[in-house]
Amino acid sequence: MSNVHNFSAGPCILPQEVFEKSAQAILNFNDIGLSILEISHRSKDFVAVMDEARAIVKRLMKLGDDYEVLYLGGGASLQFLMVPFNLLKTKAAYLDTGTWAAGAIKEAKMVGEIDIIASSKADNYAYIPKDYEVRSEYDYFHCTSNNTIYGTQMKSFPKVDTLMVCDMSSDIFSRDIDFSQFDLIYAGAQKNMGPAGVTLVVVKKSILGKTDRVIPSYLNYQQHIDKESMLNTPPVFPVYASLLTLQHLEKNGGIAAAEQRNISKAHLLYDEIDRNPNFETFCRAEDRSLMNISFKLTDESKKDAFDAAWKAAGISGLNGHRSLGGYRASMYNAMPIESVQVLVDVMSSLK
Amino acid sequence: MSNVHNFSAGPCILPQEVFEKSAQAILNFNDIGLSILEISHRSKDFVAVMDEARAIVKRLMKLGDDYEVLYLGGGASLQFLMVPFNLLKTKAAYLDTGTWAAGAIKEAKMVGEIDIIASSKADNYAYIPKDYEVRSEYDYFHCTSNNTIYGTQMKSFPKVDTLMVCDMSSDIFSRDIDFSQFDLIYAGAQKNMGPAGVTLVVVKKSILGKTDRVIPSYLNYQQHIDKESMLNTPPVFPVYASLLTLQHLEKNGGIAAAEQRNISKAHLLYDEIDRNPNFETFCRAEDRSLMNISFKLTDESKKDAFDAAWKAAGISGLNGHRSLGGYRASMYNAMPIESVQVLVDVMSSLK
């Protein structure tokens, strides 16, 4: 597999060790003579997986017992709905930084009243709005830490007078931030922490149970917490592969070391874009993402030559999102800097 | 793995071919040099998987273009909520045949008005109620085709004057019935059709869009249909492993052949229970399930000897559900009759 450089925006590259160990677990899990695909989720072998998968998140994020960790189905899209169902009483504040933030806003509006307190939509989401204030009248503030399509990322988070909820689907575990500033974090696993099919939720227990709303069981965080993330049959294999991914991260220096690698990879590519007159990014320099670098040709007539060159180099998944066009290099935790160098070499060779 | 006889109630045994092919796809999917865990769900290789996974269900069920097939996250438990969200206008009728039926009833009550038109709860769900009528005043009738815990199964389905919705999680694809009598079928994959982490929904298109309710996006069947089951990132690997499972079924004679094998396996074990004074079932004979045989010792003092014997024979997953006790032999499609014979031999040897 070493000849393919996978820049896919997600599902995306994972550590080779995760592929090898999860393939082995499908043939014979824990040497018990059964496949991970056929064991009961109530078996001691899988309960141990779920327990450790929940515990490792708190270790990596340096969070205490006031937080709970859940692995749920339905994707981050279902969290767009579960967050307001569980937290919205009167009114919530949303920051509109792109397609996924807009998706979260759309679902929340079906549950109750929300204010979009800042938006960069009029500039096609080319920057992260910073000039806003979140007052205590809001039940919570919702933001999206990284915007895969536009290649923007929140470099810091506001001080707010209410709860802070963050969709970290596309940059979770990529940088060393103070996770305790958030009251609820959610993330589809399929970028930095595993394969598609499971969604991480990290929630501060004390914020739950404050609305009078009747919350259906699957949408109710407290019910999932009460059942230790096994309210119903969990997505067993995606949880296991996520645990393998996080164990690989922990063994390799944790989040701080991953951040250093991510900075090196991003600088390598941004330096080439800034140096090379053939390329430019879509977004403002100060909001550039370390995860997804969206860029375009300055001269569209070179498209055929560039496309042929990166494909010949074994690069995969570089096309930009259909809504924006151009190119997108997604460089999640598992992306080796050698693959970024291959892309930079192709770019620098373009006449 | 041939030395373990896996009678787990689900997640459960799957064909060995599914384990081998899915492990290979994790190392190198379709020989493209990438893992099934790292490819985009929008890649042509995965779109082909989803298209075929949807098509094979209609072939196996002999359903036409008036039905749509979806693969969703969240488990059958989320369907307990999605069904009333999409179909309940005034009042729905539910048949209460066990724990999962009761779960569906609980969620539906949070959405609107429902009537439990028949229940065997007072007899600890030892039979399937048959003496009821479903009139046209109901928006739909909901039933559970097989009850894993109590070992009961609906042998036929009522003629109803409204829509019929069925939770087939534990016996889907196990017997040759007329699937067109149902307007909506749902099933968690983790019994007869794949690993945990994905739920099948088969829905007749014409029944949707009839309520005035605002339906959040992820809960809205029509939105999933409009996006060909990719409204958001689907559970890629569970969908792929489900396709492999259904391909294995199709290659081996389809549902009709599976039913014959399931009848043979069930008769082998029921005959032993009926012959052997040491054992008895929990439920009435006429409602006995072909999938899950729940039974108990007539003399509890033989428990230690029996437990030691089946464990020594390599049998796994035979303990009954915690709510009922005793034993439960789950014999889904992939269970070989040789494993049932091992259990019967152990039972017949008990003094």
Side-chain angles (χ1 to χ4, degrees):
Chain A
M1 299 165 80
S2 57
N3 291 332
V4 179
H5 306 286
N6 181 12
F7 285 88
S8 176
C12 67
I13 188 169
L14 295 173
Q16 182 64 28
E17 182 185 73
V18 172
F19 301 144
E20 289 163 7
K21 286 191 174 177
S22 57
Q24 176 56 39
I26 287 176
L27 297 174
N28 186 356
F29 176 57
N30 277 2
D31 212 23
I32 58 174
L34 292 170
S35 168
I36 182 83
L37 304 186
E38 68 175 326
I39 59 168
S40 170
H41 59 293
R42 306 279 179 202
S43 64
K44 71 175 171 41
D45 287 274
F46 184 72
V47 170
V49 167
M50 181 61 94
D51 287 349
E52 176 58 8
R54 298 176 77 205
I56 196 171
V57 168
K58 290 214 273 189
R59 285 203 304 277
L60 286 165
M61 290 187 169
K62 302 182 175 72
L63 293 174
D65 287 341
D66 44 342
Y67 286 85
E68 289 279 356
V69 177
L70 301 171
Y71 287 83
L72 305 181
S77 294
L78 188 58
Q79 297 308 311
F80 295 169
L81 179 63
M82 285 176 67
V83 165
F85 245 95
N86 284 269
L87 302 181
L88 186 54
K89 289 174 284 188
T90 310
K91 196 157 58 168
Y94 276 69
L95 180 63
D96 178 24
T97 55
T99 297
W100 309 119
I105 289 165
K106 180 185 166 201
E107 299 309 305
K109 279 182 173 172
M110 296 190 204
V111 179
E113 191 182 352
I114 70 132
D115 280 350
I116 300 172
I117 55 164
S119 173
S120 51
K121 185 177 183 181
D123 292 293
N124 202 23
Y125 297 120
Y127 67 96
I128 302 284
K130 294 168 197 78
D131 189 22
Y132 58 89
E133 190 187 345
V134 183
R135 296 182 308 276
S136 60
E137 71 184 86
Y138 293 109
D139 298 322
Y140 63 88
F141 166 70
H142 179 285
C143 58
T144 311
S145 56
N146 185 73
N147 302 281
T148 48
I149 297 175
Y150 314 94
T152 62
Q153 187 172 33
M154 294 177 77
K155 299 300 174 184
S156 64
F157 296 88
K159 297 283 176 214
V160 299
D161 279 336
T162 181
L163 308 181
M164 185 151 63
V165 176
C166 189
D167 175 0
M168 288 194 193
S169 291
S170 55
D171 69 351
I172 196 161
F173 298 119
S174 71
R175 52 179 174 160
D176 197 14
I177 56 179
D178 174 13
F179 291 98
S180 74
Q181 67 189 302
F182 303 98
D183 297 280
L184 192 151
I185 296 166
Y186 64 90
Q190 67 271 14
K191 318 282 187 185
N192 278 326
M193 64 168 288
V198 67
T199 300
L200 176 73
V201 175
V202 180
V203 57
K204 191 182 263 186
K205 281 182 280 193
S206 60
I207 71 172
L208 300 175
K210 309 292 192 197
T211 83
D212 295 329
R213 184 175 293 110
V214 173
I215 306 174
S217 302
Y218 198 86
L219 305 185
N220 191 329
Y221 293 125
Q222 190 61 55
Q223 289 206 32
H224 288 285
I225 291 169
D226 292 345
K227 298 291 185 176
E228 298 178 317
S229 204
M230 295 230 222
L231 178 64
N232 65 340
T233 310
V236 170
F237 179 81
V239 170
Y240 178 65
S242 295
L243 172 59
L244 293 177
T245 308
L246 296 180
Q247 286 174 331
H248 183 271
L249 175 63
E250 192 171 54
K251 276 189 299 185
N252 286 276
I255 295 174
E259 179 175 26
Q260 290 310 309
R261 293 189 293 268
N262 290 330
I263 289 171
S264 298
K265 290 182 283 179
H267 279 188
L268 181 58
L269 184 50
Y270 281 125
D271 286 352
E272 175 61 23
I273 291 171
D274 290 340
R275 186 201 65 73
N276 190 328
N278 283 322
F279 299 100
E280 62 186 352
T281 59
F282 285 95
C283 75
R284 290 189 195 164
E286 76 260 26
D287 298 322
R288 285 174 165 180
S289 169
L290 295 182
M291 293 282 100
N292 313 93
I293 303 188
S294 294
F295 61 98
K296 58 187 170 186
L297 286 162
T298 50
D299 177 356
E300 272 295 307
S301 73
K302 296 183 178 178
K303 177 170 165 45
D304 289 350
F306 181 57
D307 288 354
W310 62 260
K311 285 173 186 170
I315 287 170
S316 164
L318 197 67
N319 284 318
H321 190 270
R322 59 196 180 283
S323 65
L324 195 65
Y327 303 94
R328 173 170 51 172
S330 296
M331 307 186 305
Y332 299 111
N333 281 0
M335 165 69 66
I337 195 163
E338 291 77 11
S339 290
V340 183
Q341 187 63 55
V342 169
L343 173 58
V344 166
D345 290 346
V346 169
M347 292 168 76
S348 65
S349 301
L350 186 67
K351 293 288 177 276
Chain B
M1 299 164 80
S2 57
N3 292 332
V4 180
H5 306 285
N6 181 12
F7 284 88
S8 176
C12 66
I13 188 169
L14 294 174
Q16 181 66 25
E17 181 185 72
V18 172
F19 301 144
E20 288 164 7
K21 287 190 173 179
S22 58
Q24 176 56 39
I26 286 177
L27 297 174
N28 186 357
F29 175 56
N30 277 4
D31 211 22
I32 59 174
L34 292 170
S35 168
I36 183 82
L37 304 185
E38 66 175 327
I39 60 166
S40 170
H41 58 293
R42 306 279 178 201
S43 64
K44 70 174 170 43
D45 288 273
F46 184 72
V47 170
V49 167
M50 181 61 93
D51 287 349
E52 176 59 9
R54 299 176 76 206
I56 196 170
V57 168
K58 290 214 273 189
R59 285 203 304 278
L60 286 165
M61 289 187 170
K62 301 183 176 74
L63 292 174
D65 287 342
D66 45 339
Y67 286 85
E68 290 278 355
V69 176
L70 301 172
Y71 287 84
L72 305 181
S77 293
L78 188 58
Q79 297 308 311
F80 295 168
L81 180 63
M82 286 177 67
V83 164
F85 246 93
N86 284 269
L87 301 181
L88 186 54
K89 289 175 284 189
T90 310
K91 195 158 61 168
Y94 277 68
L95 181 63
D96 179 24
T97 55
T99 297
W100 309 118
I105 289 164
K106 179 183 166 201
E107 299 309 304
K109 280 182 173 170
M110 296 190 203
V111 179
E113 191 182 351
I114 71 133
D115 280 350
I116 300 171
I117 55 166
S119 173
S120 50
K121 186 177 182 181
D123 293 294
N124 202 23
Y125 297 120
Y127 68 96
I128 301 284
K130 295 168 197 78
D131 188 22
Y132 58 89
E133 189 187 347
V134 183
R135 296 182 308 277
S136 60
E137 71 185 85
Y138 294 109
D139 298 322
Y140 63 88
F141 165 69
H142 180 284
C143 59
T144 311
S145 56
N146 185 72
N147 302 283
T148 48
I149 296 175
Y150 313 95
T152 63
Q153 186 173 32
M154 294 177 77
K155 299 299 175 186
S156 64
F157 296 88
K159 296 284 175 214
V160 299
D161 280 335
T162 182
L163 307 180
M164 185 152 64
V165 176
C166 187
D167 175 1
M168 289 194 192
S169 292
S170 55
D171 70 351
I172 197 162
F173 299 118
S174 72
R175 53 179 172 159
D176 197 14
I177 57 179
D178 175 12
F179 291 99
S180 74
Q181 67 189 302
F182 303 99
D183 297 279
L184 193 151
I185 296 165
Y186 64 90
Q190 66 271 12
K191 318 283 187 185
N192 278 326
M193 64 167 288
V198 67
T199 300
L200 176 72
V201 175
V202 180
V203 57
K204 192 181 260 186
K205 282 182 280 193
S206 60
I207 71 172
L208 300 175
K210 309 290 192 198
T211 84
D212 296 329
R213 185 176 292 110
V214 172
I215 307 174
S217 300
Y218 197 87
L219 305 186
N220 191 328
Y221 293 124
Q222 190 61 56
Q223 289 205 33
H224 288 285
I225 290 170
D226 292 345
K227 299 291 186 177
E228 299 178 316
S229 204
M230 296 232 221
L231 178 64
N232 65 341
T233 309
V236 170
F237 179 81
V239 170
Y240 178 65
S242 295
L243 172 59
L244 292 177
T245 308
L246 296 180
Q247 286 174 331
H248 183 271
L249 175 63
E250 192 172 54
K251 275 189 301 188
N252 286 276
I255 295 175
E259 180 175 25
Q260 290 310 310
R261 292 189 293 269
N262 290 331
I263 289 170
S264 299
K265 290 181 284 179
H267 279 188
L268 181 59
L269 184 50
Y270 281 125
D271 286 350
E272 175 61 25
I273 291 170
D274 290 341
R275 187 201 64 72
N276 190 328
N278 283 321
F279 300 100
E280 62 185 352
T281 60
F282 286 96
C283 74
R284 290 189 194 163
E286 75 261 24
D287 298 321
R288 284 174 166 182
S289 169
L290 295 182
M291 293 282 101
N292 313 94
I293 302 188
S294 293
F295 61 97
K296 58 187 170 185
L297 287 161
T298 49
D299 177 357
E300 272 295 307
S301 74
K302 297 184 178 179
K303 178 172 166 40
D304 289 349
F306 181 57
D307 288 354
W310 61 261
K311 285 173 187 172
I315 287 170
S316 164
L318 196 68
N319 284 317
H321 189 271
R322 59 197 179 284
S323 65
L324 196 65
Y327 303 94
R328 173 170 53 170
S330 296
M331 309 187 303
Y332 298 111
N333 282 359
M335 165 70 67
I337 196 163
E338 291 77 11
S339 290
V340 183
Q341 187 64 55
V342 169
L343 173 58
V344 166
D345 290 346
V346 169
M347 293 168 75
S348 64
S349 301
L350 187 67
K351 294 285 176 279

